[in-house]
Amino acid sequence: MDKTLAVQNLSFSIGGKKILDDVSFSLEKGTITLLAGKNGSGKSMILKLIKGLEKPNGGKILIDGLECTAKERMRKIALVFQESMLQIVGQSVEKDISFGLENQKRGKEEIKAITEEYLNLFELNDLKSENPRVLSGGERRKVIIAGVLAMGPEILLLDEPLANLDYPSIRTVLNLLVRLKDMGKTLLIVSHEAEKMLALTDQTLVLSKGRLVYDGESERSLIPLSENGVHIPPLPFKELSWL
């Protein structure tokens, strides 16, 4: 399979304190990868560095085999933050999805066509006139993901996409992640709720004190996760699925 995203020897420090130390991994096209570890292990910082919101002290980030500048990564990679309200910008679902397209200076007819495509794709047509701020957590995350994907990225980074969601909303988001994989999107997901999504993932990365201590198949990751402070119920891998 093609390596869509490659991180090579990534390092990052703040005030002399090392946050990430020589981290390397790659993601295959059309897969879901879980990035897990204790709080403070550097998970969210990896997403910011990949996206281009922070500058690493060392290392390279490649997309399709080519090293990319932060500006290029801002365009090619989408990031959904943990706090969904931060990414709500429109007064209606429809306007929220079209907002990024307008910033890209797309033509009016193109914006209308793409917005309608993603309203249909994410089953949001019945909500298109609603203010996204009053929707359920799961519906709101669907709107945000639809909006960032409408701008055309192939790689999607998600920081704690299940945070503060009730059971129906968790299932909504998990089903959406599976659909995105089926569409050929490449997903990297940070979550401290690994047990809820582990069975849906192809690859797991375990981070400890800024270093990568496991990179491999999710089905073989249960022991490394447990040994590094990530709670996993004592169940067979396939029984962990919430879908």
Side-chain angles (χ1 to χ4, degrees):
M1 295 179 69
D2 296 331
K3 299 285 194 300
T4 299
L5 176 72
V7 171
Q8 297 179 349
N9 309 110
L10 198 65
S11 297
F12 183 76
S13 300
I14 298 178
K17 180 181 179 182
K18 188 161 284 188
I19 307 299
L20 295 171
D21 185 10
D22 198 31
V23 173
S24 297
F25 61 87
S26 60
L27 308 182
E28 304 282 6
K29 180 177 174 58
T31 59
I32 302 177
T33 298
L34 172 67
L35 175 58
K38 289 182 179 178
N39 288 341
S41 59
K43 305 184 299 297
S44 295
M45 182 55 68
I46 285 181
L47 299 190
K48 292 178 182 178
L49 291 168
I50 292 173
K51 172 66 174 171
L53 298 176
E54 297 282 355
K55 184 177 180 180
N57 299 114
K60 297 179 180 180
I61 299 169
L62 293 79
I63 298 176
D64 296 329
L66 300 175
E67 188 173 0
C68 294
T69 65
K71 185 176 181 179
E72 290 171 325
R73 298 197 306 274
M74 289 291 288
R75 177 171 52 85
K76 294 181 177 182
I77 300 172
L79 172 59
V80 176
F81 296 103
Q82 177 177 348
E83 180 46 66
S84 58
M85 286 298 188
L86 295 175
Q87 287 179 275
I88 294 294
V89 291
Q91 295 302 309
S92 71
V93 168
E94 185 174 27
K95 290 180 179 178
D96 200 87
I97 294 174
S98 66
F99 178 82
L101 297 167
E102 291 169 356
N103 281 349
Q104 290 180 334
K105 309 298 183 184
R106 305 284 189 98
K108 288 185 178 180
E109 291 304 315
E110 185 181 14
I111 291 173
K112 180 180 179 181
I114 294 174
T115 301
E116 289 179 356
E117 176 187 353
Y118 277 85
L119 285 169
N120 290 325
L121 186 64
F122 286 83
E123 299 174 350
L124 291 166
N125 252 315
D126 291 343
L127 300 172
K128 68 180 183 179
S129 299
E130 297 289 333
N131 188 320
R133 293 172 179 80
V134 305
L135 301 180
S136 71
E139 291 170 336
R140 194 159 56 241
R141 286 211 168 94
K142 281 176 70 174
V143 173
I144 294 167
I145 293 172
V148 297
L149 286 180
M151 292 185 283
E154 292 299 316
I155 301 169
L156 180 61
L157 314 176
L158 299 106
D159 195 359
E160 301 291 356
L162 306 182
N164 305 315
L165 298 185
D166 58 15
Y167 178 70
S169 295
I170 288 171
R171 286 180 57 86
T172 294
V173 172
L174 292 179
N175 275 300
L176 176 57
L177 298 180
V178 173
R179 287 185 63 194
L180 293 175
K181 174 185 173 179
D182 291 342
M183 291 166 57
K185 303 297 182 182
T186 304
L187 289 80
L188 176 61
I189 303 170
V190 163
S191 180
H192 68 277
E193 300 175 271
E195 77 282 1
K196 294 175 181 173
M197 65 172 59
L198 191 62
L200 306 177
T201 65
D202 305 284
Q203 175 184 5
T204 293
L205 308 170
V206 182
L207 202 64
S208 178
K209 298 179 181 179
R211 294 188 66 88
L212 199 63
V213 296
Y214 178 82
D215 175 1
E217 296 178 8
S218 292
E219 195 161 356
R220 299 174 182 267
S221 70
L222 301 184
I223 292 176
L225 286 166
S226 298
E227 289 178 344
N228 288 278
V230 180
H231 171 68
I232 299 294
L235 295 171
F237 178 78
K238 292 181 180 179
E239 292 183 21
L240 292 173
S241 177
W242 280 49
L243 295 180

